[in-house]
Amino acid sequence: WLFVYLAALMPFALYYLQQIKARSYNPEILINAGFILTIVFILPMLTLHLNYYFMNRGDSFYCDLQNGFFKFIKKGESKEFYIKDIESIVCHKSWPLAENRTAVLPWDIYNYATITLISGQLLKLSSELVQEFDKKIDVPNIQIKKTFYPWIS
């Protein structure tokens, strides 16, 4: 996404270089452009990445698809379950990712899945653990929810 950021910054940089050649440049233009692009691209991406990082930091997810067995280790506590124990799975994805299109915004590649077990327990797996859960693991009753910004709440 560095290239997207640089491509968005390029017109401002070219304008600034043109103004330097004309010896009538204003450094505030470049500072404002950098500030706006940072607010629009970098801060949302950074907050989302930190949200995903802290949600599943140190966690592990194992699956044995032949036997339908899953193991989720969160904060040192292990939860083992089978496919028959799953009540529902909801995958939260951005619009482009859910429709298999090219990502437009930096956070379009982030997604997470919520697994509700029959016992009522809710497990949340971010794309830091399993990227696109619905494509990796073929289980019944997977629902996909499209969102603009896939924040784990």
Side-chain angles (χ1 to χ4, degrees):
W1 286 107
L2 177 63
F3 294 116
V4 172
Y5 185 72
L6 290 175
L9 190 60
M10 191 59 67
F12 296 105
L14 292 175
Y15 174 78
Y16 188 69
L17 289 174
Q18 180 185 16
Q19 295 300 317
I20 289 175
K21 285 184 180 178
R23 297 187 191 273
S24 64
Y25 64 93
N26 184 357
E28 288 181 14
I29 294 172
L30 190 60
I31 291 169
N32 290 339
F35 179 73
I36 290 169
L37 289 174
T38 299
I39 294 295
V40 170
F41 287 109
I42 301 298
L43 287 181
M45 183 67 202
L46 181 63
T47 57
L48 187 66
H49 183 75
L50 290 174
N51 175 254
Y52 277 55
Y53 173 74
F54 288 121
M55 176 60 74
N56 288 136
R57 177 179 49 180
D59 298 348
S60 300
F61 183 73
Y62 303 100
C63 65
D64 179 5
L65 294 178
Q66 286 183 327
N67 298 321
F69 175 76
F70 301 98
K71 183 177 182 180
F72 181 49
I73 302 171
K74 182 166 186 72
K75 312 289 187 248
E77 294 183 23
S78 178
K79 176 65 179 169
E80 298 175 353
F81 56 97
Y82 290 90
I83 288 180
K84 63 180 173 141
D85 299 328
I86 297 173
E87 183 179 315
S88 67
I89 298 174
V90 179
C91 293
H92 303 264
K93 296 181 167 192
S94 64
W95 285 86
L97 191 63
E99 297 173 355
N100 292 324
R101 292 186 288 132
T102 304
V104 177
L105 298 169
W107 53 85
D108 281 345
I109 60 170
Y110 283 80
N111 61 88
Y112 70 98
T114 55
I115 302 171
T116 307
L117 301 177
I118 292 174
S119 65
Q121 191 171 14
L122 184 69
L123 307 174
K124 294 184 180 182
L125 302 170
S126 71
S127 57
E128 301 287 324
L129 287 177
V130 181
Q131 181 67 26
E132 294 193 73
F133 187 84
D134 59 318
K135 292 183 179 177
K136 302 279 191 248
I137 299 168
D138 186 28
V139 295
N141 61 356
I142 291 183
Q143 179 186 2
I144 296 177
K145 281 195 174 180
K146 298 176 186 176
T147 180
F148 175 74
Y149 191 73
W151 182 266
I152 302 174
S153 54

